[in-house]
Amino acid sequence: MSGETVKKLTVYTLAEDYTGYDSLFWASFGISFLLRIESGGGKKTLLFDTASDPEPILHNIRLLELSLEDIDAIVLSHRHFDHTGGLAGVLREIHRMDIPIIVHPRIFDVTVNDVPYLEPHRSRLFLNEGLSGENRKDNITSLGGRWFCVKDPFPILPGVMTTGEIEDEEKVSYERDPHLNLFDIKDGGLIKASAVDDISLCINTSGGLVVITGCSHAGIVSITKKAIRLTGTDTVRAIIGGFHLINANDELIDRTVKDLEEMRIERIFSGHCTGSNAEYRLRQVFGERFERLHSGKTIEF
Ligand SMILES: [Fe+2]
Ligand SMILES: [Fe+2]
């Protein structure tokens, strides 16, 4: 998509783990962004992830005076329930057939928690993926979703594409282990979860690149480097999303922040699974160019 740019991008945080201070917005474990994009093809609206549940999204979108009915396509960053849990509820509100849902083909694989005992308060015992229950593949199809299962980078609009799968060879060495206490069921065995289905969005604005991530299980540095390669622009205006450094040690946090600094990222908007240690370090290094995400936060480019 080299050369194609979007004229205007507005990112609305429909749901995030934090409400913001003194706020009427609701929090929800996970992430959901609504993206208003003005490009050569006119004005389009994308939904990126659907957090854990639809209710906070429906409440917050009303406060933002926006509508889910305008959504042209949905992108799901990966299978975890805090990014896919609200999908069926959102589709019921859109109330239209043939809504493209862009995902990695391995999003339907089964991931389990390593919970060795019963926890009655957990409704999702064992299963960590969100495309089960009312969000299962066939039910989503009957609610109007049309699955686009694509492993490669996928162009959505002029200037907008997914990263596709980020393969191990494309990653910086220290991001090859996604540090998840989860297991995938494969060929009858349990293997350490690889989060192979993790994809992000690259949006090429006239002033540079904006990268939108879910949990960044593929690694925020590797994701950003791939977005730069795909778009052919090395001016990164912003990276926005969860960076999954919540369980990372100081060494991994320092290497990540140093590499983001070397890439001269202009602004960072992060929260969710980034973790307070990494947020503290990002704030130290990026100062006011780092901002904590929260439900209702609106970012304009
Ligand atoms: Fe997450
Ligand atoms: Fe995740």
Side-chain angles (χ1 to χ4, degrees):
M1 77 172 181
S2 297
E4 292 172 328
T5 58
V6 310
K7 286 193 204 109
K8 191 168 188 284
L9 164 68
T10 309
V11 180
Y12 299 94
T13 312
L14 293 187
E16 209 269 341
D17 299 46
Y18 174 46
T19 60
Y21 178 67
D22 195 15
S23 160
L24 295 174
F25 291 105
W26 290 355
S28 176
F29 177 42
I31 267 181
S32 177
F33 296 117
L34 186 127
L35 311 172
R36 277 272 163 84
I37 297 165
E38 283 183 45
S39 71
K43 292 182 190 176
K44 298 285 179 196
T45 304
L46 302 182
L47 181 68
F48 183 87
D49 283 353
T50 62
S52 306
D53 294 289
E55 288 81 9
I57 292 175
L58 303 183
H59 170 82
N60 293 339
I61 204 163
R62 256 177 254 124
L63 284 189
L64 287 163
E65 297 181 355
L66 298 165
S67 166
L68 287 172
E69 285 170 33
D70 299 339
I71 286 169
D72 295 293
I74 298 171
V75 179
L76 298 177
S77 65
H78 66 300
R79 75 188 76 155
H80 293 156
F81 73 86
D82 51 319
H83 298 261
T84 55
L87 184 59
V90 161
L91 283 172
R92 267 188 223 104
E93 287 292 308
I94 297 176
H95 204 63
R96 226 169 50 232
M97 294 308 285
D98 290 327
I99 305 292
I101 306 175
I102 298 145
V103 298
H104 186 287
R106 295 268 309 267
I107 199 168
F108 304 105
D109 287 7
V110 173
T111 302
V112 294
N113 295 315
D114 57 341
V115 182
Y117 48 86
L118 291 177
E119 292 178 281
H121 63 282
R122 288 180 79 114
S123 59
R124 295 181 179 86
L125 183 67
F126 299 129
L127 284 182
N128 188 274
E129 27 101 11
L131 298 175
S132 55
E134 67 168 1
N135 292 319
R136 67 185 189 279
K137 191 176 183 182
D138 58 336
N139 195 47
I140 292 301
T141 305
S142 67
L143 287 171
R146 184 153 184 209
W147 296 100
F148 285 66
C149 304
V150 198
K151 183 184 170 198
D152 294 333
F154 186 71
I156 300 173
L157 297 167
V160 181
M161 72 192 304
T162 70
T163 56
E165 179 180 326
I166 303 195
E167 313 223 6
D168 268 356
E169 311 79 70
E170 300 178 284
K171 292 182 185 174
V172 294
S173 58
Y174 61 86
E175 288 187 334
R176 286 182 189 157
D177 177 357
H179 297 279
L180 289 167
N181 289 325
L182 300 167
F183 295 87
D184 294 339
I185 299 176
K186 194 158 186 245
D187 302 327
L190 284 180
I191 55 165
K192 207 170 179 318
S194 61
V196 71
D197 55 320
D198 190 71
I199 60 170
S200 301
L201 262 189
C202 320
I203 304 177
N204 210 7
T205 73
S206 51
L209 178 61
V210 176
V211 181
I212 314 268
T213 75
C215 280
S216 303
H217 292 307
I220 187 59
V221 171
S222 305
I223 291 167
T224 308
K225 282 182 185 288
K226 181 155 188 184
I228 289 169
R229 270 201 311 283
L230 287 171
T231 57
T233 172
D234 60 0
T235 302
V236 184
R237 290 180 81 179
I239 51 177
I240 305 173
F243 298 169
H244 206 80
L245 293 165
I246 193 152
N247 301 317
N249 59 28
D250 288 348
E251 190 198 338
L252 178 56
I253 291 172
D254 281 346
R255 290 184 84 168
T256 305
V257 175
K258 185 168 159 287
D259 278 357
L260 293 176
E261 197 187 6
E262 271 174 18
M263 283 192 277
R264 300 189 306 278
I265 311 293
E266 290 177 11
R267 296 171 79 193
I268 295 179
F269 300 88
S270 190
H272 181 43
C273 53
T274 302
S276 48
N277 288 347
E279 286 168 14
Y280 173 72
R281 194 78 191 104
L282 286 164
R283 180 76 186 182
Q284 275 185 321
V285 171
F286 285 85
E288 290 188 356
R289 294 186 293 132
F290 168 78
E291 291 181 49
R292 178 68 168 82
L293 282 173
H294 58 81
S295 290
K297 188 169 183 69
T298 301
I299 311 160
E300 292 190 325
F301 298 94

